[in-house]
Amino acid sequence: MDKQIILGTGLNGLVGSKFVSDFADHYQFDNLDLRDSQRPVDITNQEQVDRVIAQSKAKFLIHFAAFTNVTAAFEQKEDKKGLCYQVNVEGTRNIALACQKFNKQLIHISTAYVFDGQKETLYTEEDLLSPIEWYGQTKAWAEEIVQATDNLTWTILRIDQPFRSDPFPKLDVAWKLIKGMRAGKIHPQFSDHFFGPSYIDDFAKVLDAVIRLKLTGLFHATSGEQWTDFAFAQALSQKLKIDYQVEAGSLAKYLKTSQRPYQKNTALSVEKLKSVLDFDLKSINSAISEIRA
Ligand SMILES: NC(=O)c1ccc[n+]([C@@H]2O[C@H](COP(=O)([O-])OP(=O)(O)OC[C@H]3O[C@@H](n4cnc5c(N)ncnc54)[C@H](OP(=O)(O)O)[C@@H]3O)[C@@H](O)[C@H]2O)c1
């Protein structure tokens, strides 16, 4: 049987490439890729986007592509001509409009950085957008564009600090710590900063479920757990048997020396997602045990 065609942006990135490798047997992927030598597509160019999407038989488009360097984004604050705004906001607008015109369901990947991090408990899908830095602001605008596009069938999935079982050229939060600890040096890890690690191998299964079950609407798609940087680094060193004594650090102290705002807590509740999924999400402890380090 022919494999279902899935259109995607950012399928070469940290998160998208895992979905492609894990589900290569199920789907045929068509990447709108800036660096494709045959058919380069810049998502900030509406004509290029429209041309490819118009010709595709795919029913779904997964939009991973983004300007993801949060520190570099901070340097572009308020600059709507800057790459961060152009890719995250205008690029998403082009993708949403093309999906509307050519009748594709848009699965848009977003981030917990749309929140200010002041909430002490897990953020839910009901919580209002409250970004505090430029990357989060551009991703929040992107979400608003997706939701406001008339006659568009959409799914928004928010993740936080994603990590995968295998290493990728752009190191994720887990692999940065693993490589650092193995090399004998990581910074003290904040014990007053909370996040919701997302296991990318599991997130790939969530994407498959969104397609299979035709899920629509806004979902948080992390592990649903809340960790400190310190506890996460300790769990990695213990489970992967890395001989390293992790030191505790303080975000509150660090913020006194940093210009860039940081969200104190970006952990997300996944109760809504769990109520519609047909498989169980892995705990972060089980996910860490699967890391091939
Ligand atoms: N990584 C995180 O910590 C994190 C956390 C929360 C949410 N997210 C979200 O998850 C999604 C995937 O993130 P990621 O870390 O996998 O991203 P990534 O590794 O930085 O990859 C970004 C992808 O976007 C593509 N891209 C950038 N500008 C483009 C343009 N103008 N036209 C076409 N493609 C373009 C890049 O293409 P090239 O390879 O050709 O450059 C690359 O494939 C993003 O939406 C991000 O906001 C990520």
Side-chain angles (χ1 to χ4, degrees), residues 10 12-16 32-35 41-44 64-66 68 87 109-111 135 139 159-162 170:
N12 292 324
L14 170 72
V15 184
L32 280 69
D33 182 13
L34 203 51
R35 285 186 287 173
V41 180
D42 181 345
I43 62 163
T44 66
F64 294 97
T68 56
V87 172
I109 312 304
S110 191
T111 169
Y135 166 76
K139 293 291 288 186
I159 55 174
D160 186 30
Q161 307 261 357
K170 180 178 104 171

Side-chain angles (χ1 to χ4, degrees), residues 9-17 31-36 41-45 63-70 83 86-88 91 108-113 135 139 157-163 168 170 172-173 198 200 203:
T9 68
L11 292 181
N12 292 324
L14 170 72
V15 184
S17 63
N31 193 12
L32 280 69
D33 182 13
L34 203 51
R35 285 186 287 173
D36 189 310
V41 180
D42 181 345
I43 62 163
T44 66
N45 182 317
H63 178 37
F64 294 97
F67 185 100
T68 56
N69 183 330
V70 182
L83 207 52
Q86 287 300 315
V87 172
N88 293 357
H108 173 71
I109 312 304
S110 191
T111 169
Y113 284 17
Y135 166 76
K139 293 291 288 186
L157 301 173
R158 290 188 189 131
I159 55 174
D160 186 30
Q161 307 261 357
F163 69 97
F168 186 75
K170 180 178 104 171
D172 59 44
V173 58
S198 309
I200 298 176
F203 184 61

Side-chain angles (χ1 to χ4, degrees), residues 4-279:
Q4 184 176 354
I5 301 167
I6 302 292
L7 277 165
T9 68
L11 292 181
N12 292 324
L14 170 72
V15 184
S17 63
K18 188 70 181 153
F19 181 52
V20 170
S21 61
D22 285 5
F23 283 87
D25 291 345
H26 293 64
Y27 302 114
Q28 183 188 323
F29 293 99
D30 186 3
N31 193 12
L32 280 69
D33 182 13
L34 203 51
R35 285 186 287 173
D36 189 310
S37 55
Q38 311 287 313
R39 191 203 61 189
V41 180
D42 181 345
I43 62 163
T44 66
N45 182 317
Q46 177 80 68
E47 268 174 46
Q48 287 178 14
V49 168
D50 277 5
R51 201 176 314 132
V52 174
I53 297 183
Q55 284 166 3
S56 173
K57 291 201 176 90
K59 293 200 168 75
F60 292 85
L61 184 150
I62 311 181
H63 178 37
F64 294 97
F67 185 100
T68 56
N69 183 330
V70 182
T71 306
F74 179 65
E75 305 295 324
Q76 298 175 23
K77 192 176 168 194
E78 309 302 340
D79 179 7
K80 294 195 171 177
K81 292 203 168 69
L83 207 52
C84 178
Y85 182 90
Q86 287 300 315
V87 172
N88 293 357
V89 181
E90 296 304 335
T92 300
R93 192 190 315 279
N94 291 339
I95 294 288
L97 287 173
C99 286
Q100 173 212 52
K101 267 188 260 177
F102 305 111
N103 202 21
K104 317 291 181 198
Q105 176 168 339
L106 171 58
I107 303 172
H108 173 71
I109 312 304
S110 191
T111 169
Y113 284 17
V114 295
F115 295 124
D116 62 11
Q118 290 301 311
K119 190 173 174 178
E120 299 209 337
T121 52
L122 305 181
Y123 281 94
T124 72
E125 290 83 353
E126 308 288 307
D127 286 312
L128 298 179
L129 299 175
S130 52
I132 54 168
E133 39 67 47
W134 192 235
Y135 166 76
Q137 175 65 75
T138 60
K139 293 291 288 186
W141 280 326
E143 283 194 10
E144 286 173 346
I145 287 166
V146 169
Q147 297 199 31
T149 304
D150 287 335
N151 302 317
L152 172 70
T153 308
W154 58 265
T155 315
I156 295 176
L157 301 173
R158 290 188 189 131
I159 55 174
D160 186 30
Q161 307 261 357
F163 69 97
R164 45 194 281 174
S165 57
D166 54 342
F168 186 75
K170 180 178 104 171
L171 294 180
D172 59 44
V173 58
W175 281 94
K176 254 184 225 159
L177 290 166
I178 294 166
K179 297 215 166 179
M181 288 191 288
R182 288 219 166 120
K185 181 104 192 98
I186 57 169
H187 291 297
Q189 295 296 302
F190 300 143
S191 54
D192 57 350
H193 172 250
F194 303 87
F195 69 105
S198 309
Y199 186 40
I200 298 176
D201 304 44
D202 246 15
F203 184 61
K205 292 188 202 157
V206 170
L207 289 166
D208 172 57
V210 168
I211 294 166
R212 284 188 292 106
L213 307 172
K214 300 188 170 60
L215 300 178
T216 57
L218 170 63
F219 294 94
H220 289 172
T222 62
S223 56
E225 297 181 17
Q226 186 182 44
W227 285 70
T228 65
D229 302 24
F230 180 63
F232 190 66
Q234 275 189 317
L236 286 169
S237 82
Q238 283 160 14
K239 285 193 176 294
L240 303 177
K241 303 197 180 351
I242 305 171
D243 184 18
Y244 189 89
Q245 199 62 43
V246 181
E247 268 181 65
S250 159
L251 175 67
K253 258 195 207 154
Y254 174 76
L255 283 179
K256 292 192 179 133
T257 64
S258 165
Q259 294 281 308
R260 183 190 129 193
Y262 272 84
Q263 299 80 353
K264 190 173 175 223
N265 170 38
T266 48
L268 307 178
S269 162
V270 293
E271 291 310 308
K272 183 179 174 193
L273 181 67
K274 274 170 38 184
S275 73
V276 292
L277 279 186
D278 54 3
F279 67 94

